């Protein structure tokens, strides 16, 4: 594949991921293959290939005769998200501390610097994307082919939900933002020290930091169907 075509394909893939995570492409919306091809200077076959890759990563759902749909968010998926998140995050944290390599730890530290800058600058989009990247790197550290797909899918919805409710002008979230930064620092320290149980416990605390606020946003007090809690064995 010529260099320009490779760059166009890579740029398209990264841009579509970013636009889905930041909800510039809304949950449930359909993607226009022709429009994407024209925007990135590609023909439709490589666009279809990219869409199949995005489907495998959990960003889109492919429908026969209708094309690619940005993965929807509904009550069922959100309820399952709340049930699965603490279990997956705890397992990823434990394995990350056991398996992390020095280069991966350096990447985590670099990403934390970007996360801190986004919080400081009140940049909602960069905060969401660098947070997603931080936890994706932890997933790479865990090095488990069974857990990684689940983590990726959770982070897609976690990032999109955060884009919806998070506002840098909301003073009530200031303490949460400061604690999130501190907990990311603690993750780095625990992973560097190989403290698997400490990292698993922090993963639950980190999840609980945002769970209540996310849950109150997506399910008001009058909504009678519970979205789920941390299982007793993980609390």
């Amino acid at each position: 594949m010529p260099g320009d075509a490779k760059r166009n394909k890579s740029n398209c893939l990264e841009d579509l991921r970013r636009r889905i995570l930041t909800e510039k492409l809304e949950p449930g919306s359909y993607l226009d293959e022709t429009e994407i091809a024209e925007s990135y200077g590609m023909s439709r076959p490589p666009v279809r290939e990219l869409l199949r890759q995005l489907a495998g990563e959990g960003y889109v759902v492919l429908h026969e005769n209708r094309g690619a749909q940005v993965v929807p968010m509904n009550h069922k998926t959100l309820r399952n998200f709340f049930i699965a998140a603490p279990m997956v995050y705890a397992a990823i944290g434990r394995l990350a501390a056991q398996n992390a390599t020095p280069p991966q730890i350096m990447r985590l530290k670099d990403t934390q610097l970007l996360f801190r800058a986004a919080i400081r600058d009140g940049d909602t989009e960069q905060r969401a994307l660098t947070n997603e990247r931080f936890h994706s790197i932890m997933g790479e550290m865990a090095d488990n082919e069974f857990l990684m797909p689940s983590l990726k899918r959770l982070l897609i919805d976690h990032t999109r939900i955060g884009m919806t409710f998070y506002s840098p002008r909301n003073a009530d979230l200031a303490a949460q933002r400061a604690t999130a930064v501190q907990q990311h620092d603690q993750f780095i320290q625990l992973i560097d020290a190989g403290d698997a149980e400490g990292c698993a416990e922090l993963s639950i605390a980190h999840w609980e930091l945002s769970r209540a606020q996310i849950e109150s946003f997506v399910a008001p007090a009058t909504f009678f169907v519970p979205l789920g809690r941390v299982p007793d064995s993980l609390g």
Side-chain angles (χ1 to χ4, degrees), residues 2 14 25 30 35 37 49 77 92 95 112 114 118 130 142 150 158 172 175 194 203 224 232:
E14 288 304 313
L25 291 171
Y30 281 84
E35 181 181 322
E49 182 182 337
T77 60
I92 290 291
L95 290 173
Q112 172 66 346
L114 297 175
T130 52
S150 297
H158 202 152
D172 293 338
S203 296
F224 67 92
D232 291 340

Side-chain angles (χ1 to χ4, degrees), residues 5-234:
K6 284 185 178 180
R7 282 192 294 273
N8 289 351
K9 191 174 180 181
S10 177
N11 290 341
C12 178
L13 181 61
E14 288 304 313
D15 196 38
L16 288 175
R17 286 175 179 148
R18 179 185 57 79
R19 291 169 66 193
I20 290 171
L21 289 173
T22 58
E23 293 196 312
K24 288 181 171 63
L25 291 171
E26 296 182 356
S29 62
Y30 281 84
L31 304 181
D32 188 320
E33 287 184 10
T34 301
E35 181 181 322
I36 293 171
E38 291 176 352
S39 297
Y40 294 92
M42 298 189 297
S43 61
R44 292 181 68 178
V47 171
R48 293 193 188 103
E49 182 182 337
L50 290 181
L51 294 177
R52 286 193 294 270
Q53 181 174 342
L54 289 172
E57 294 172 353
Y59 288 88
V60 303
V61 180
L62 299 180
H63 298 283
E64 189 174 358
N65 300 323
R66 296 195 66 185
Q69 180 189 30
V70 176
V71 65
M73 286 195 295
N74 52 43
H75 182 268
K76 180 178 182 294
T77 60
L78 287 172
R79 182 176 184 275
N80 288 338
F81 165 80
F82 275 86
I83 291 171
M87 295 184 284
V88 174
Y89 289 157
I92 290 291
R94 180 178 289 107
L95 290 173
Q98 292 174 346
N99 300 325
T101 65
Q104 288 173 328
I105 294 173
M106 285 302 303
R107 287 169 54 212
L108 200 64
K109 290 178 179 178
D110 290 342
T111 302
Q112 172 66 346
L113 292 176
L114 297 175
F115 181 71
R116 280 183 171 275
I119 294 289
R120 181 195 65 223
D121 298 340
D123 189 330
T124 300
E125 181 172 311
Q126 284 304 307
R127 180 209 60 83
L129 293 174
T130 52
N131 183 68
E132 190 272 344
R133 183 61 186 150
F134 186 94
H135 291 284
S136 290
I137 293 171
M138 286 184 60
E140 294 169 16
M141 291 173 168
D143 192 25
N144 186 293
E145 65 271 29
F146 297 100
L147 281 173
M148 195 60 178
S150 297
L151 175 68
K152 286 183 176 180
R153 183 64 182 84
L154 285 169
L155 289 176
I156 289 170
D157 277 8
H158 202 152
T159 304
R160 294 192 296 176
I161 293 168
M163 282 295 300
T164 300
F165 86 89
Y166 178 89
S167 170
R169 294 181 295 275
N170 186 341
D172 293 338
L173 293 177
Q176 186 209 41
R177 293 193 293 270
T179 302
V181 171
Q182 293 169 3
Q183 288 181 341
H184 277 200
D185 288 335
Q186 291 168 11
F187 273 125
I188 293 170
Q189 294 167 5
L190 291 168
I191 290 169
D192 204 8
D195 187 344
E197 291 309 311
C199 201
E201 292 175 5
L202 180 59
S203 296
I204 295 299
H206 194 57
W207 160 247
E208 283 296 305
L209 180 66
S210 59
R211 179 199 59 78
Q213 287 168 327
I214 295 175
E215 188 175 46
S216 67
F217 181 85
V218 300
T222 54
F223 201 79
F224 67 92
V225 181
L227 286 170
R229 292 290 189 275
V230 178
D232 291 340
S233 61
L234 294 174

